[in-house]
Amino acid sequence: MHVIIGADDYLVNEAAKRIVGDGVGLEVVDSLNATNAELQLADLRAADASFGTPPFLDPKKVTWWKNVHFLPGGKKAIADEVKSALEKFAARLAAAMLPENQHFILSGPHLLKTSVFAKRLASAAELVVFAEDSPRDAARAAVVRAIDFADGMGLKFAPGVAERFVAIVGGDARSQMSELGKMRDYLGSESSVITAASVAAVTSPGVGVEPEVWDVTDAIGRRDTGAALAAIRRFELGTGFAVFMSGVIERFFRQLVDVAGGRTDGMNPYVVKKTEGFLRNWTLQELRMARWRFLTLRERVVTGTASGDALVVSELVRSMRKGRGR
């Protein structure tokens, strides 16, 4: 018996697939869409029925009950009848003596280790937990994972490029693997080294990561008005330009203020280092004033009290103009 817990479904599924092997004798019960007690209990009965059917003359039997998001410790409360049924099922699993050619896999995003369900399974099942990193450690863990994934594909990041890659793709393992697969095809047999140029050429934001307008924010950080305006022009014809761009610029100035104040918990190390380099071009007062300008502008364009498109450009020029004392 195997219990595999983790919020990153790619890591969970890969661990389960190693047990599943070639798929012979596999029966899957997927609870991804079990959104109420009736559906959850129905899936539990299906998993129990599969578990209770031995391999007979088949070479092996594998039951995989996956995406069980209603285990104790999940983000949503579970109905009392579901909780009770889970505890009884755990006792049944713990008391069973499976033959060597039968496996039962249960996987889901969360499980409270101190729950009755977990304690009843503790002595009978192999427990694999992919712990969620704290915000402080998540960025570094994502970089290490990306380096490991690249190594498995015969690729290697140039110095500092793994951080750039993760800043764009994020920490989602499936997204990292997908983007590294694209990178492997892009580099072909000519090279195995992932450079900053190749990341810029083919890498896209992963799950839950907003597209970064790097050219705009980098130019602002350098305080290069001409480059910033040229970069912004590529977005001007898009729908909702003023709302989008004012939000991007306000967040960037907020990030500069946070790094200037040492508030970097949860930030990607690459982003922190890069932002620190930009701070030499700005005073803290200038950053606070610029952020206030764009926070105010965004409120105006969102509420419809200003048309916005031209104001984004004019406010940016005003914010980036250097004072007489500089």
Side-chain angles (χ1 to χ4, degrees), residues 74-112:
K75 294 183 178 180
K76 294 184 179 180
I78 56 177
D80 289 340
E81 62 267 34
V82 174
K83 181 180 178 181
S84 177
L86 284 170
E87 291 174 358
K88 292 177 181 177
F89 184 51
R92 172 164 153 70
L93 291 173
M97 296 293 291
L98 294 182
E100 291 184 0
N101 61 338
Q102 182 174 0
H103 291 264
F104 182 85
I105 307 168
L106 186 151
S107 65
H110 305 284
L111 175 62
L112 181 63

Side-chain angles (χ1 to χ4, degrees), residues 33 54 85 109 120 153 172 187 193 215 224 255 257 268 299 305:
N33 296 318
R120 286 182 175 173
M153 296 183 182
D172 178 69
L187 294 175
V193 178
D215 289 344
D224 186 337
Q255 177 179 294
V257 171
N268 185 287
E299 290 176 355
T305 56

Side-chain angles (χ1 to χ4, degrees), residues 3 15 43 75 78 87 98 111 113 138 170 177 180 202 204 210 224 229 257 285 315-316:
V3 178
D43 283 355
K75 294 183 178 180
I78 56 177
E87 291 174 358
L98 294 182
L111 175 62
K113 290 185 178 180
M177 287 294 288
L180 286 170
V202 301
S204 303
E210 293 184 11
D224 186 337
L229 294 178
V257 171
Q285 182 61 30
E315 288 290 11
L316 182 59

Side-chain angles (χ1 to χ4, degrees), residues 36 44 57 74 84 104 126-127 132 150 157 169-170 179 185 194 214 240-242 244 247 271 278 301 318 322:
N36 57 48
L44 193 156
L57 299 177
S84 177
F104 182 85
E126 174 196 31
L127 178 63
E132 292 187 56
F157 286 100
V169 178
E179 291 302 312
D185 294 340
I194 304 172
W214 296 99
F241 163 77
F244 168 72
V271 173
F278 291 145
V301 296
R318 291 176 66 188
K322 295 183 179 181

Side-chain angles (χ1 to χ4, degrees), residues 220-221 251-261 267 274-276 278-279 282 284 287:
I220 293 172
R251 285 195 300 272
F252 182 64
F253 280 122
R254 185 200 322 159
Q255 177 179 294
L256 287 164
V257 171
D258 286 344
V259 173
M267 286 190 187
K274 187 176 183 180
T275 305
E276 288 172 343
F278 291 145
L279 291 177
W282 298 85
L284 184 58
L287 293 174

Side-chain angles (χ1 to χ4, degrees), residues 91-220:
R92 172 164 153 70
L93 291 173
M97 296 293 291
L98 294 182
E100 291 184 0
N101 61 338
Q102 182 174 0
H103 291 264
F104 182 85
I105 307 168
L106 186 151
S107 65
H110 305 284
L111 175 62
L112 181 63
K113 290 185 178 180
T114 57
S115 64
V116 173
F117 179 87
K119 288 180 177 179
R120 286 182 175 173
L121 279 178
S123 60
E126 174 196 31
L127 178 63
V128 177
V129 178
F130 293 99
E132 292 187 56
D133 298 300
S134 66
R136 183 187 298 268
D137 299 330
R140 183 57 195 162
V143 171
V144 172
R145 186 163 55 243
I147 292 172
D148 289 342
F149 286 164
D151 184 65
M153 296 183 182
L155 301 175
K156 181 180 180 180
F157 286 100
V161 176
E163 289 81 1
R164 171 77 177 192
F165 175 82
V166 171
I168 298 173
V169 178
D172 178 69
R174 190 182 302 278
S175 297
Q176 288 188 353
M177 287 294 288
S178 174
E179 291 302 312
L180 286 170
K182 286 166 51 180
M183 183 65 67
R184 181 185 55 202
D185 294 340
Y186 174 77
L187 294 175
S189 58
E190 297 180 1
S191 175
S192 61
V193 178
I194 304 172
T195 64
S198 58
V199 167
V202 301
T203 302
S204 303
V207 174
V209 180
E210 293 184 11
E212 288 284 357
V213 281
W214 296 99
D215 289 344
V216 175
T217 55
D218 284 359
I220 293 172

Side-chain angles (χ1 to χ4, degrees), residues 266-318:
M267 286 190 187
N268 185 287
Y270 170 82
V271 173
V272 173
K273 184 177 180 180
K274 187 176 183 180
T275 305
E276 288 172 343
F278 291 145
L279 291 177
R280 67 174 65 96
N281 303 317
W282 298 85
T283 68
L284 184 58
Q285 182 61 30
E286 287 173 332
L287 293 174
R288 287 173 173 165
M289 178 57 70
R291 188 201 167 193
W292 176 82
R293 287 183 186 281
F294 279 92
L295 189 63
T296 303
L297 174 59
R298 190 172 192 281
E299 290 176 355
R300 292 176 64 193
V301 296
V302 167
T303 57
T305 56
S307 59
D309 288 16
L311 289 177
V312 170
V313 174
S314 62
E315 288 290 11
L316 182 59
V317 171
R318 291 176 66 188

